[in-house]
Amino acid sequence: MSRNSALFLIGVAVVVALGFLMPWVLKNPFYFFAGYVVLQYVTIATGWNILGGYAGYINFGAAGFFGAGVYLSAFLFTAFGLPLPLCILAAAVFGAILGVLMGYLTLRIQGVYFAIATLGLVVVLETIVHNISALGGASGMAVYGPRPPSWSPGPSQYNFTVMLVVAAVSVALARFVEVSWIGRGLRAVRASEDAAECSGVPTLRLKLLACALSGAVLAAAGAPYPFYTSFVEPVTAFSLIIGLNAIAMPLIGGTKSWAGPVLGALLLASVQQIATVTISSELNILFVGLVLIAFVAFAPGGIANLFGPRQGRARS
């Protein structure tokens, strides 16, 4: 293991440990209620970036995978009483399978056509949920989660710590992909897929793997959501704001490394939570759009690349 990888794992372990200690230091449950949303978007942005950032395939279907994880988790708990960790694992497996199926059907097309195809996935999944009575249909379904374990002061704190672990694992997975041969192959695909194919890079297999990993992370991000809200319905689970944030946060933070989506999600999701409390939640979509336009116009490389490219040009 390299020194950087060891430092990264130590940093992740410290963050997770602090997250488990915070509920016993901060007594106001609202901080954990809002913090859950921020960590949820860290996971969503990280999952989206594995395919959209590393491979360069812009995916508008993030809300589809998220919603699939939401409803699978809700169904497994209400029907079979599965604990939350198993619901998250099942959602990740289902998201990976769904990602492979989506990739196999759509990866042969590129650019705007691929983006439109992934957007269709959201519509299809939401329509299916609307017509399944066991999932509550259009009316939604209530999910009354179990009491939190003894090591957690309350449900908001428990959901926060669970989401923190999911986010930490997702970021660690994204970093592993980035520094491994998988990341090098995906960067070659993003630069020039034809050239990568001619150089012997197994482009289709790498893209399918990226779809599977991305789908698994996005679905895992949705699995704790029914326990967070105690109620799920299709419009919220497959919401436009989820898909918009999934794209905006990596673009704002930077899509070329694991740190970019984390930075973008922490910044944008935190501001959205503040705006929801102080102004109005209805302005969130407008705010995201304005910030995204500003970054595309003035900092297209994202926050993570604001200084790096200039330094690279100076050295050259």
Side-chain angles (χ1 to χ4, degrees):
M1 181 184 295
S2 67
R3 181 173 179 270
N4 288 338
S5 296
L7 291 175
F8 172 81
L9 291 178
I10 292 172
V12 170
V14 170
V15 170
V16 172
L18 290 175
F20 274 82
L21 291 175
M22 282 177 61
W24 302 102
V25 177
L26 298 176
K27 301 303 181 181
N28 189 343
F30 174 77
Y31 293 122
F32 303 97
F33 193 81
Y36 173 94
V37 178
V38 176
L39 293 172
Q40 172 187 281
Y41 277 119
V42 168
T43 308
I44 291 174
T46 298
W48 182 92
N49 200 56
I50 294 175
L51 179 64
Y54 294 163
Y57 273 74
I58 304 301
N59 174 19
F60 283 109
F65 291 96
F66 179 86
V70 168
Y71 270 94
L72 179 63
S73 177
F75 175 76
L76 291 176
F77 176 76
T78 56
F80 304 104
L82 262 64
L84 178 54
L86 288 182
C87 290
I88 295 173
L89 180 60
V93 172
F94 182 72
I97 296 172
L98 188 63
V100 171
L101 293 175
M102 182 201 73
Y104 187 79
L105 294 174
T106 60
L107 283 174
R108 301 182 189 277
I109 55 178
Q110 300 179 15
V112 66
Y113 302 104
F114 174 80
I116 293 174
T118 58
L119 183 60
L121 175 69
V122 182
V123 178
V124 170
L125 291 176
E126 185 176 356
T127 303
I128 291 174
V129 170
H130 268 283
N131 292 278
I132 298 179
S133 57
L135 298 178
S139 300
M141 60 187 300
V143 180
Y144 301 106
R147 293 177 61 87
S150 58
W151 52 262
S152 181
S156 296
Q157 293 87 338
Y158 175 62
N159 292 327
F160 171 85
T161 51
V162 168
M163 198 69 242
L164 176 63
V165 173
V166 174
V169 172
S170 302
V171 173
L173 174 64
R175 186 186 182 278
F176 168 77
V177 170
E178 180 183 334
V179 301
S180 68
W181 64 271
I182 302 172
R184 292 192 293 271
L186 292 176
R187 287 191 292 273
V189 170
R190 182 183 62 198
S192 175
E193 189 166 340
D194 292 335
E197 187 78 35
C198 294
S199 300
V201 177
T203 55
L204 180 59
R205 280 183 290 176
L206 280 176
K207 291 187 294 183
L208 288 175
L209 179 58
C211 283
L213 295 176
S214 178
V217 173
L218 290 169
Y225 184 79
F227 300 83
Y228 170 74
T229 60
S230 300
F231 182 81
V232 294
E233 49 88 21
V235 175
T236 302
F238 299 94
S239 172
L240 170 65
I241 190 64
I242 295 173
L244 180 60
N245 278 326
I247 299 173
M249 290 172 179
L251 291 179
I252 290 170
T255 60
K256 295 183 179 180
S257 73
W258 63 268
V262 175
L263 290 173
L266 289 176
L267 173 64
L268 196 55
S270 298
V271 173
Q272 284 180 335
Q273 289 302 299
I274 295 172
T276 299
V277 174
T278 58
I279 306 176
S280 170
S281 60
E282 301 299 326
L283 296 177
N284 279 344
I285 295 180
L286 174 62
F287 176 77
V288 172
L290 292 175
V291 172
L292 182 58
I293 292 172
F295 270 86
V296 169
F298 301 107
I303 297 173
N305 295 330
L306 276 176
F307 304 103
R310 295 178 183 177
Q311 294 170 353
R313 287 194 294 269
R315 287 194 298 267
S316 63

